[in-house]
Amino acid sequence: MFDFLIDGFGVALSPLNLGLAFLGAVLGTLFGALPGIGPINGIAILMPLAYTLGLPAESALILLAGVYTGAEYGGRMSSILLNVPGDAGAVMTTLDGHPLAKKGLAGPALGLSAVSSFVGATIAIIGLTLFAPLLAEVAVMFGPAEFFALMVFAFSSMAVMMGKDPIKTAIGAVLGVLIAMVGVDSGTGVLRYTFGLAELYDGIDFVVMIIGLFAISEILLMLEHANRKDAEDEMPPLGRVMVSLKELAHCKWTMLRCGLIGFIVGVLPGTGASVAGAVSYTTEKRLSDKEGTFGTGDMRGLAAPEAANNASAAGSFVPMLTLGIPGSGTTAVLLGALMLYNITPGPMMFSERPEVAGGLIASLYIGNVVLLALNLPLAGLFARVLTIPRWVLVPGIAILAFAGVYQLHSDLMAIYLMLVIGVFGYLLRKLGFSLAPVILGYVLGGLMEDNLRRALSISGGDLGILWQSGISIGLWVAAVALLVLPWLLPRVLRAWQ
């Protein structure tokens, strides 16, 4: 295990990859600081550019992973300073972060959130280092039936834990699965949902899908709110940014507990930082809020979601690298980056492409230290990004989105399809749907169908193969339990009382 990590550092510490890790950390912090951009949009914009520039697979993944972790750091800035979450994962940060800023403690709040993010991410990266190779060894025993059961478990986990409305989450996931079915059926050659357009025979390209769904829909939302008040008028003074040892000591157990909670939640397929932040905040409030100060500007209320968000981001790499299924919406996009390079994520990647898996894990250690070093002294500079006017921001994002898609395809049809998907994503967001289940359904749907076909072809069409092994049965039981227990437990407790 440690030889694997040492080899990974040999990859990550090369001058090119070290520079890309630093660049990813800076760009990620900037993307995260801008409300509504977040890690998914940042990765969606940069992924086609990284591929077009001819970066090796491990270098591209190091850059994009740096953007992901950097955006989790940067998302706290608008939450604390403006009470506007940078992304869904930063919603819980506003509860105590903004009240601290209104008390004149904006600087210490930013400093504490950076340290909490560092502690949470460190716990999760160590967990990733220890458990990913072990889980990969177990996953080698998975056949098509086990992988199909795993996809069912992932969908159950997503429906229960992602978003406030399980029905909308399930609908979003089904829409993603339907989009994944567009094109020629690989098993029968039947055309599905192509509407007579030859350009859709190969299906909807992943890059077109994510840039349209996230970047274009975000541009439309920005245009809708173009008349908002400038952030510069609302920005509170930062003051000192360095957090005191007394403040850190007050929050030390909170950071450790919530970092562990965030890692566990992140490992569950289809959850993400928003679930980790909510679970950690409510748990910490029950354990520590003896004086009723949570929600009024308590340092522990800020440290809890920040440690959990970053731990969840690193934890979500575990199912992606070992099982080939995304742990969050952002790792679903990173999964697409691997597919661009014809790399199949999963247990065999640790033996077939160790430079990719090892280099990525080692780069997370490096990026985490870089992010702490950047975000403590330069918090005020990064916060100025919040004052960029929308008349500059919207055209910049649009140019990168159009250029990224056109560079990959050199086809106007891809641009038109991206715009159609963007309008579709905009309408979903206006109706209160989260887009993360859609992209997860898109990614998992194709994998689920392929594994179901393989399992049935092995068994000659006998459905019994799907729950034949102990692993399959365990995953089916876990999937059903996830769906039933949240509904059943409250009723049992009320009956008991």
Side-chain angles (χ1 to χ4, degrees), residues 250-260 280 284 288 294 299-305 307-308:
H250 185 54
C251 301
K252 61 182 178 183
W253 296 116
T254 297
M255 291 187 282
L256 293 173
R257 273 193 299 266
C258 294
L260 185 59
S280 64
E284 195 60 29
S288 305
F294 273 50
M299 288 283 190
R300 293 167 300 177
L302 171 62

Side-chain angles (χ1 to χ4, degrees), residues 27 68 75 171-172 177 197 228 234 237 251 260 273 280 313 320 325 337 366 426 434 442:
L27 291 176
Y68 182 16
I171 292 172
V177 172
L197 296 173
R228 69 166 188 143
E234 308 168 21
C251 301
L260 185 59
S280 64
M320 186 194 86
I325 62 173
I366 297 168
Y426 168 76
S434 170
Y442 173 81

Side-chain angles (χ1 to χ4, degrees), residues 80 92-93 95-97 99-101 103-113 116 240-244 246-252 254-255 258 281 284 288-289 291 293-307:
I80 293 171
M92 304 307 291
T93 302
L95 299 181
D96 283 278
L100 283 168
K103 290 179 180 180
L105 297 173
L110 289 174
L112 177 64
S113 67
S116 302
R240 66 177 176 92
V241 175
M242 299 302 290
V243 63
S244 68
K246 182 180 178 182
E247 290 163 338
L248 286 177
H250 185 54
C251 301
K252 61 182 178 183
T254 297
M255 291 187 282
C258 294
Y281 185 87
E284 195 60 29
S288 305
D289 192 18
E291 304 87 10
T293 54
F294 273 50
T296 63
D298 192 306
M299 288 283 190
R300 293 167 300 177
L302 171 62
E306 284 300 297

Side-chain angles (χ1 to χ4, degrees), residues 139-329:
V140 170
M141 298 185 292
F142 278 38
E146 287 77 17
F147 272 112
F148 177 78
L150 184 64
M151 302 301 164
V152 174
F153 172 75
F155 275 112
S156 299
S157 174
M158 179 169 43
V160 173
M161 302 191 72
M162 181 178 279
K164 297 178 182 178
D165 190 339
I167 302 298
K168 286 186 175 179
T169 300
I171 292 172
V174 169
L175 289 172
V177 172
L178 290 175
I179 294 171
M181 289 183 177
V182 173
V184 179
D185 185 340
S186 59
T188 63
V190 173
L191 297 176
R192 302 187 298 193
Y193 309 120
T194 58
F195 305 103
L197 296 173
E199 291 85 357
L200 293 180
Y201 286 4
D202 291 330
I204 296 176
D205 182 76
F206 186 83
V207 174
V208 173
M209 175 73 177
I210 59 167
I211 291 182
L213 198 63
F214 291 98
I216 300 300
S217 67
E218 187 61 42
I219 289 171
L220 294 174
L221 282 175
M222 285 182 173
L223 292 174
E224 183 183 354
H225 300 102
N227 295 323
R228 69 166 188 143
K229 188 163 58 171
D230 285 340
E232 196 166 6
D233 301 331
E234 308 168 21
M235 190 87 71
L238 292 185
R240 66 177 176 92
V241 175
M242 299 302 290
V243 63
S244 68
L245 291 176
K246 182 180 178 182
E247 290 163 338
L248 286 177
H250 185 54
C251 301
K252 61 182 178 183
W253 296 116
T254 297
M255 291 187 282
L256 293 173
R257 273 193 299 266
C258 294
L260 185 59
I261 291 171
F263 174 69
I264 294 170
V265 172
V267 169
L268 293 174
T271 51
S274 56
V275 176
V279 171
S280 64
Y281 185 87
T282 53
T283 303
E284 195 60 29
K285 187 174 182 179
R286 289 174 185 168
L287 291 174
S288 305
D289 192 18
K290 309 300 183 188
E291 304 87 10
T293 54
F294 273 50
T296 63
D298 192 306
M299 288 283 190
R300 293 167 300 177
L302 171 62
E306 284 300 297
N309 290 348
N310 287 267
S312 171
S316 64
F317 283 102
V318 174
M320 186 194 86
L321 292 176
T322 59
L323 302 172
I325 62 173
S328 65

